[in-house]
Structures are given as C-alpha cells and as structure tokens.
Amino acid sequence: SAGPGAGTNAIPGFEQASGVAVDVNGAIYASDITSGTVSIYAPTGALLTSFAISGPRNVAIASGGAVYVATNSQGIRKFIPSEFPVTGATTYLDNPFIPPSATFPGIGDDPLEGDVYVLLNLGTDWISQYDEDGTFVQDIARENGAGELGSASRGLAVVGGNGEFQLYVGDTDLGNYSKVAIFGEVIVEEPPTIRETSATDVTSDSATLHAGVN
C-alpha cells in the first residue's frame, strides 16, 4: 500500500535479492547481494532505512531488533539498531559475530532464547548454534566431524522457542535430492485429515482408491 511497489504484491528495486526476514513488528528486511545493502521496509512496503554491508546473503532478526547478516567474505555480522521499532531515523552499529570460516547459506534466530543458528557449507553441511554474544554452543546434524546435510543446502528457519522449537533446513545435495529437514520435536495436535477422495479402474472385485492425506 506504500513505497515503490504500491498497488502490487511486490517490493521491487533489487539487483539480486538474496535474503528476507520479518521482525516482531512486521517490518521487512531484505538483503541485496549485488548492491551490498540491507533495506528495512514498513509492513506497508514503504522504505524506512537501509545500511551497507559487502556481499549480504541471508538475514535474521532478533526479538530486540539486532540484525544478523551472513556475508560472502566477512563471516556473520551483527548490526545493533539505535532504536527499535525501526523508524526512518534508525542507524545501525556494525559488530563482528562469527569470523569467516565457511559459507553461511542460512541463518535463523530463536525469538525467545536469543540463540543464533547458522547453516554451514564446508563440503559436508551442518548447523551450528551460538548464543547472542557469539559463543559457540553446539553443532547439529554433525557426527564424527562430518555434516549430515546435503552439500548444497540452502535456507534455515527457527520456529518456536524457549527450549521447544524446530529448525527447518533446505537440505539439498547437488543433482541428487532436495527436501526440508526438520530438527526438534514435531508435535501434531490434530488427527490426520483425508480429502479429495476418488476411485478409478473400478471392476467387480477391485478398484484404485485416491485421496490426499494431511
């Protein structure tokens, strides 16, 4: 309803959009890997502010407004806002968080605990957990020094918090498979549902049954 994409469902103007996240107030954060910027938009799509960072790939937003940016060559940086919620006058202080040691194609923040989860590409891929000060906590999906995810994994999201959460990872191997891997307890509160039922190839003693099962 505002900004350069008014009247559409898009926020245009990127050379190469590479990451997007939404904070607790609904503000939209989008990184442009080619122009080297992270831009913050109001929920309406109006531009609030932006900051420069070389080679931003993915972004994650902490509940207090800190912006974690995975970059091409500078590791992961942590940007602290001068105020939160974000306004047009907000500025950001750049801090190192994780030094460059790998490619980081995914990053997510636990909204309650504040821990940061990063997806690492090192030939064999896995997830590393850090606290909000950048102290290493543990590796996930890694055994005997080797990662258990596909070698071209992309994207990570954290859902839940306070010790009860799931990690969703784009688990991809070059040319072989791609799936979403889920780490953490999966709680199903409702029974399965069946929809779109039908039967084909019906004879006097057989039939092929079809259905969608959630």
Side-chain angles (χ1 to χ4, degrees), residues 21-29 40-46 48 61-67 81 83-87 90 92 111:
V22 179
D23 70 19
V24 294
N25 302 301
I28 304 161
Y29 299 68
I40 299 98
Y41 301 85
T44 60
L48 294 173
I61 317 302
S63 58
V67 184
E83 58 182 338
F84 189 73
V86 180
T87 72
T90 303
Y92 285 85

Side-chain angles (χ1 to χ4, degrees), residues 117-207:
Y117 297 82
V118 297
L119 178 61
L120 293 89
N121 281 156
L122 281 170
T124 59
D125 299 352
W126 66 87
I127 305 161
S128 289
Q129 177 184 354
Y130 297 83
D131 68 18
E132 57 187 347
D133 296 320
T135 302
F136 174 78
V137 177
Q138 65 173 333
D139 285 328
I140 301 169
R142 187 185 189 194
E143 187 174 356
N144 298 324
E148 300 174 355
L149 297 170
S151 60
S153 296
R154 298 287 186 274
L156 182 152
V158 183
V159 179
N162 196 26
E164 296 181 2
F165 63 92
Q166 293 86 44
L167 302 177
Y168 293 82
V169 183
D171 182 7
T172 302
D173 201 0
L174 287 173
N176 293 323
Y177 68 88
S178 184
K179 64 182 180 181
V180 176
I182 305 174
F183 298 89
E185 183 178 2
V186 179
I187 301 174
V188 180
E189 297 181 349
E190 300 293 334
T193 56
I194 301 175
R195 63 183 188 278
E196 301 170 358
T197 58
S198 63
T200 59
D201 302 322
V202 179
T203 71
S204 60
D205 58 2
S206 68

